[in-house]
Amino acid sequence: DTAVSQTPKYLVTQMGNDKSIKCEQNLGHDTMYWYKQDSKKFLKIMFSYNNKELIINETVPNRFSPKSPDKAHLNLHINSLELGDSAVYFCASSQEAGHGYTFGSGTRLTVV
Amino acid sequence: AQSVTQLDSQVPVFEEAPVELRCNYSSSVSVYLFWYVQYPNQGLQLLLKYLSGSTLVKGINGFEAEFNKSQTSFHLRKPSVHISDTAEYFCAVKGGTSYGKLTFGQGTILTVHP
């Protein structure tokens, strides 16, 4: 069983479209995250939810909106996609501060 | 605020040679430290972590790291590398609060040559 699963794995779309990436974890963790990995492999946090409550919201354009229907799911919706949104998006979850994160396998988004 | 600096962007090494990947951090609070590995086109896998206690921590695949508080470093080492260790390695720091975010370094590409 995959601990943190993301769908889709690959996403190619045109500029201006709206798309969603889904994430689910079956670890029973309370906290979930979205990270963006750019073309230079730099990982930057975007959002974090704890028990469906937003706790971290980094400087991210309003076009990005996370949604957490329950603590096992954290989806990412992106409006009006731009070329610069092309990246790999990773979902992760953690239970306690010292346990580190468990990452999903990533969603490679390509905007053309 | 917390930050992580990985001092080498690329480290080439021959198979069976020892390797050290360097990581320095800064933080105004106590921290937890981690090393992750990312194989091509895959997600991140936890190699090891330092929470407290012994400053030498051992992880998977024969890797170990030493926490040095005075030098604010957490260097990753392996005494003898294999071709399969070729990957990108990320050092990360997390503040000591329950919801502290994980801040990553820029990554070090380890290439093991035969």
Side-chain angles (χ1 to χ4, degrees):
Chain A
D1 284 343
T2 304
V4 180
S5 59
Q6 297 178 226
T7 54
K9 192 171 176 64
Y10 300 96
L11 185 53
V12 181
T13 187
Q14 290 186 325
M15 285 175 53
N17 284 350
D18 303 338
K19 290 293 179 185
S20 292
I21 306 172
K22 296 185 176 181
C23 179
E24 175 182 5
Q25 55 97 2
N26 62 7
L27 299 167
H29 290 170
D30 288 332
T31 310
M32 296 184 72
Y33 310 82
W34 277 110
Y35 274 78
K36 179 180 180 180
Q37 186 174 46
D38 62 23
S39 58
K40 295 184 179 180
K41 297 295 189 69
F42 184 65
L43 282 151
K44 184 171 169 52
I45 192 167
M46 301 172 69
F47 302 103
S48 174
Y49 270 74
N50 180 265
N51 275 323
K52 301 192 297 178
E53 181 182 346
L54 182 65
I55 55 172
I56 295 175
N57 185 351
E58 294 291 293
T59 307
V60 178
N62 291 337
R63 299 181 294 103
F64 290 79
S65 55
K67 285 185 173 52
S68 182
D70 54 63
K71 76 172 192 176
H73 295 84
L74 179 61
N75 304 322
L76 183 65
H77 189 75
I78 316 169
N79 289 325
S80 303
L81 278 155
E82 300 177 357
L83 293 176
D85 298 331
S86 296
V88 181
Y89 293 84
F90 285 101
C91 177
S93 70
S94 70
Q95 182 57 33
E96 296 177 17
H99 286 194
Y101 294 4
T102 301
F103 281 85
S105 56
T107 296
R108 183 175 295 275
L109 171 65
T110 304
V111 183
V112 298
Chain B
Q2 57 202 31
S3 66
V4 179
T5 301
Q6 291 183 241
L7 299 163
D8 307 292
S9 59
Q10 296 190 53
V11 173
V13 65
F14 287 107
E15 194 172 18
E16 297 183 7
V19 71
E20 178 179 81
L21 306 184
R22 298 180 294 166
C23 172
N24 285 96
Y25 71 93
S26 67
S27 176
S28 57
V29 297
S30 61
V31 295
Y32 302 121
L33 293 158
F34 306 84
W35 275 99
Y36 283 84
V37 59
Q38 185 178 28
Y39 298 103
N41 297 316
Q42 294 189 27
L44 285 86
Q45 180 182 5
L46 181 65
L47 270 180
L48 49 78
K49 59 187 176 185
Y50 171 79
L51 308 182
S52 64
S54 174
T55 57
L56 182 64
V57 292
K58 295 187 183 297
I60 62 171
N61 301 341
F63 283 93
E64 62 182 32
E66 185 153 20
F67 170 60
N68 188 319
K69 188 174 182 179
S70 62
Q71 297 186 9
T72 60
S73 68
F74 191 55
H75 300 334
L76 180 71
R77 301 185 183 101
K78 186 169 182 177
S80 176
V81 294
H82 303 293
I83 298 284
S84 59
D85 292 323
T86 295
E88 187 149 14
Y89 292 80
F90 292 92
C91 181
V93 61
K94 187 172 183 181
T97 61
S98 297
Y99 308 136
K101 65 182 179 182
L102 201 59
T103 299
F104 286 87
Q106 305 93 317
T108 298
I109 298 173
L110 173 65
T111 304
V112 182
H113 298 284

